[in-house]
Each structure stands twice: as C-alpha cells, then as structure tokens.
Amino acid sequence: MRRTPSRRLFAAALLVASVLAPMAATPATAVHATGVDRYDKDDCPPDGLGPELTARLDNAIEDVRRQAGIPGVVVGLWMPGKGSYVRATGVADTATRRPMTTDLFMRIGSETKTFTVTALLKLVDDRRIRLDDPISAYIDGVPDGDRITLRHLAEMRSGLFPYSADPDFAHDLLSDPSRSFTPQEVLAYGFKHTNTFAPGENFQYSNSNLVLLGLVIEKVSGLGVADFMHKRVLRPAHLRRTLLPANAEFPEPHAHGYTNQTLSGAIEDSTDWNPSWAWTAGAMISDLSDLRRWAEIVATGTLLRPETQRERLKTLPTGFPGTSYGLGIFETGGWIGHNGSIPGYESVTVYLPSQKATLVLLLNTDVSHEGQEPSTLLARAITGIVTPDNVYDGAVPPR
C-alpha cells in the first residue's frame, strides 16, 4: 500500500509501515565530543551504568536500529547517582558512510513547541498576556477566534484544522521543498477547513495552534520570535547551539536526514529542505548537549514562576493510551517532555522527575516502521531496560 504524503506530514494521522533500505551496521561507540562535555552539572558517575547494563542498551539500540532501518542515532541517558550512557551509532551520511557523532546539529521538529510555549509563558510571567485571553485579541481572522484561548492553542484543544494535514499544503511543499512559507500562508491552508470541534472539547494535535502562538509572541513583544526566544529563553537557559532558523540554514556539523514523505514515496535526502513551513511548530535546530540541559529546565520550570509552571503541567487525556498533554508538553510513563519529527529527522527529549533522569534521542530519519515512529521504538526499548516502572510507551504523533 502506498502512503499519501499528506496523511503523515506533521499530522496526527494513521501511519503506514515503511522501512529504509537495509544498511550495513555500524557498531555503537562512545563519543565524548565537546558538545557533551560542555555541560557543567554532571553528578552522574563517570564510569557509565556498568558493563552489564551498558551491553544490554547497546544491543537493544542496535536491534531497533537494524529492524527499523534507522541510518544513525545519538542517545544520551543521564541517571544521577547511577551513571550515564552516551552513544552515537550508525551513519550521519549514507553516501559517504560518515559515522554519527554526538556533537552534530540536528533538526528537532515538534520539540520546537516546548520552546515556543516557554516563550509564551514568559509573557504570562510578565503579565503582558493571560492564558485565557481569546486569540482574537491578538490575531484577526482565526475561525471561532473569539472562543479559542491561548490556553486552548497551547494544549492542542482549539479545534483548528491542522494546516499540515491539508492535501494541497502537502502537495505544494513536496513539489518544492526549498520553498519559503510565511506563517500566514501556512495558516490559510488550515483555515479553509471547518473547525473539527468546539474549543476545549477534545484533543487534536495541530501545528496551526503553535504558528498562531508564534504570531502572538511577535505581536506582544514587538520582536521577531527568534529574537525574543533567544533573549528570553535560549540565553537564560545557556543554550548556545539551539536556534530557530530563518530559512534552510543548517550549522555544521550536521547529519543528513532521510524521509519517504515525498511525492513518489521514495526515500530522499531532505537535509536542505526549507523548514520555514513548520516555523514555531517545528523548525528548530539543536544538539545533544543543549537538549540535555533543556529537558530538566522545561520539566521543572526553571525559567518560569512556579504558578506558571503548575499551569503548564496540568495535563489532560489525549486519546492516545498512557499519554496526557499540558501546555506544549506531554507526560507518558512518568516521563515529561516532547518528541519531534520533521522530514528526515526525529527526536525525543524527556525528563523523569522521580529519578531526575534525562533521556535525549536524535535520529536522522522519520520513516515509520510497522506504523510506529522510530524514535518511539528506541525510547520504549531504552526505558524498558533502565526504568522498567516508567516505560516511555508512546507519545502523540509528533507531526
């Protein structure tokens, strides 16, 4: 069965199985690059998690990578008082066979939402906006905008049709992946559809919500969202290798990304595709070291007032078993954070408060395997070994 691209392109839609062509296995290697060593809050024993547990993780990761056809993956696991596990395995470039390393920049897809909502919540802390303000107070032309609040947008309960699920959008993007889209252009694809439910009535993952929040941030702050995010989120968090690109820029070194979200359904190199269409819903770039730091910051609310963080963590059912969603953040199996996917790349950045553990995954493919995201398969396998009472058992489709 051939998958229609618009069914997967950043939309919460049924995924059809598809596998990358078989690749030669590359043994897992521990790579301690400058990006990882920069982190200055390391209370994990330097000798790792011990030979037995390390071997189990090595084998589990390699099994998933081979079965799902994942070209390369970076894994970072930190468990204070127990140890750490940092590995890069596979290849960053299938043409040259350049190995994956832990210092690579990667596209992080919908993990962008944690940064966008944090920026929005900084404005809440500044008392410049309120979560229960209607979107119509800031942006004109939103269907049912008088009833849809900023809270509804951040918790994916607005009822706005996701522009990235529109067939015309998928065709236009995939016909010219280098094209630059404005926020208004992508929203128009969604706004031509009837809202799917009344505000607050249900959960539906929609990138339209987060693009609107990006516009709110710009309207209220008077700054471009990338500038505001750098000033109020990235710099205070000491994230020096995280950015919201203006176009197809991609700092070196980075991994090549591989996707089958193409008009033909064939796998293509999507490394230099322009992510402008995803903007504040999914266009950001980061690396292992920064995401390690960010996982704890976003889950514990370091940058926010305690009362604002409490609002963020009020998660509601999603309809996906074991997963609830708050304000730009989810909880699954006790892990708090977000996953991400953009053509060619997937990621997971989560934090387990009960053990103060952090897990970061970075993959250079988004090709699903037997209907499941490859990042979910890896996260489930890893947590099943190291935190069997807290298994990452799935998350909202990150598209």
Side-chain angles (χ1 to χ4, degrees):
M1 179 178 177
R2 180 111 152 248
R3 184 181 66 267
T4 302
S6 61
R7 300 264 318 182
R8 273 191 73 220
L9 195 61
F10 272 73
L14 180 65
L15 302 180
V16 180
S18 146
V19 185
L20 281 169
M23 297 180 179
T26 301
T29 55
V31 183
H32 296 287
T34 55
V36 175
D37 292 341
R38 265 197 345 266
Y39 194 87
D40 55 10
K41 185 187 177 186
D42 197 343
D43 52 0
C44 297
D47 54 350
L49 294 170
E52 181 180 350
L53 196 54
T54 296
R56 289 181 64 195
L57 288 169
D58 284 346
N59 292 333
I61 291 165
E62 206 57 25
D63 284 347
V64 172
R65 195 175 73 79
R66 287 175 179 146
Q67 291 170 17
I70 301 167
V73 59
V74 176
V75 178
L77 173 67
W78 296 270
M79 304 184 72
K82 296 182 179 179
S84 60
Y85 177 94
V86 178
R87 291 288 189 274
T89 180
V91 296
D93 185 333
T94 60
T96 66
R97 311 305 296 175
R98 173 167 58 94
M100 204 75 155
T101 57
T102 60
D103 62 341
L104 298 177
F105 287 96
M106 300 283 277
R107 300 195 189 280
I108 61 172
S110 285
E111 285 195 36
T112 300
K113 293 174 173 65
T114 62
F115 293 93
T116 301
V117 172
T118 300
L120 183 84
L121 295 178
K122 294 296 288 184
L123 292 172
V124 172
D125 278 354
D126 294 344
R127 294 180 170 80
R128 301 182 69 181
I129 62 172
R130 295 175 302 177
L131 285 171
D132 295 317
D133 289 343
I135 184 62
S136 61
Y138 305 97
I139 307 297
D140 294 330
V142 179
D144 209 11
D146 291 338
R147 299 174 60 207
I148 295 172
T149 67
L150 304 184
R151 186 190 300 273
H152 288 142
L153 295 168
E155 65 188 10
M156 300 293 182
R157 291 178 176 268
S158 70
L160 290 171
F161 187 88
Y163 67 84
S164 43
D166 176 73
D168 292 334
F169 166 77
H171 178 271
D172 292 348
L173 172 62
L174 298 179
S175 296
D176 181 12
S178 65
R179 173 180 170 178
S180 183
F181 288 85
T182 67
Q184 292 77 14
E185 286 172 339
V186 295
L187 287 171
Y189 288 100
F191 288 175
K192 69 183 182 182
H193 295 268
T194 302
N195 288 10
T196 55
F197 51 80
E201 187 177 89
N202 209 337
F203 174 92
Q204 182 184 30
Y205 198 83
S206 174
N207 286 312
S208 301
N209 297 331
L210 269 290
V211 169
L212 282 169
L213 292 182
L215 291 174
V216 170
I217 291 167
E218 292 196 330
K219 179 76 174 289
V220 175
S221 71
L223 297 173
V225 69
D227 292 335
F228 182 82
M229 197 177 290
H230 178 76
K231 178 181 179 182
R232 299 299 307 279
V233 179
L234 303 181
R235 191 164 63 191
H238 304 291
L239 305 183
R240 300 178 181 89
R241 289 165 60 90
T242 302
L243 67 148
L244 177 62
N247 44 49
E249 66 182 282
F250 203 164
E252 294 282 2
H254 59 252
H256 282 244
Y258 302 93
T259 187
N260 61 354
Q261 293 197 73
T262 59
L263 290 179
S264 68
I267 295 170
E268 293 182 9
D269 186 324
S270 58
T271 308
D272 297 321
W273 287 15
N274 190 334
S276 60
W277 62 272
W279 200 44
T280 49
M284 290 185 75
I285 293 167
S286 190
D287 77 345
L288 179 65
S289 179
D290 272 11
L291 292 176
R292 176 192 178 185
R293 182 184 294 275
W294 182 243
E296 182 175 354
I297 289 172
V298 73
T300 61
T302 303
L303 297 182
L304 301 172
R305 296 176 186 271
E307 57 269 28
T308 305
Q309 180 69 2
R310 283 194 292 271
E311 292 296 309
R312 173 174 223 164
L313 295 180
K314 289 180 179 178
T315 61
L316 296 170
T318 63
F320 298 95
T323 302
S324 57
Y325 204 89
L327 302 179
I329 198 169
F330 67 61
E331 185 275 329
T332 180
W335 292 90
I336 297 173
H338 217 288
N339 56 340
S341 185
I342 194 167
Y345 300 88
E346 286 202 344
S347 59
V348 172
T349 296
V350 287
Y351 181 80
L352 183 62
S354 63
Q355 297 192 37
K356 297 183 179 180
T358 297
L359 174 64
V360 178
L361 301 177
L362 295 166
L363 293 70
N364 61 344
T365 186
D366 68 314
V367 178
S368 60
H369 176 63
E370 298 182 351
Q372 296 194 64
E373 304 288 338
S375 57
T376 297
L377 295 174
L378 281 168
R380 184 182 298 133
I382 292 167
T383 56
I385 292 171
V386 297
T387 56
D389 294 330
N390 297 98
V391 176
Y392 181 108
D393 199 27
V396 297
R399 305 186 177 283

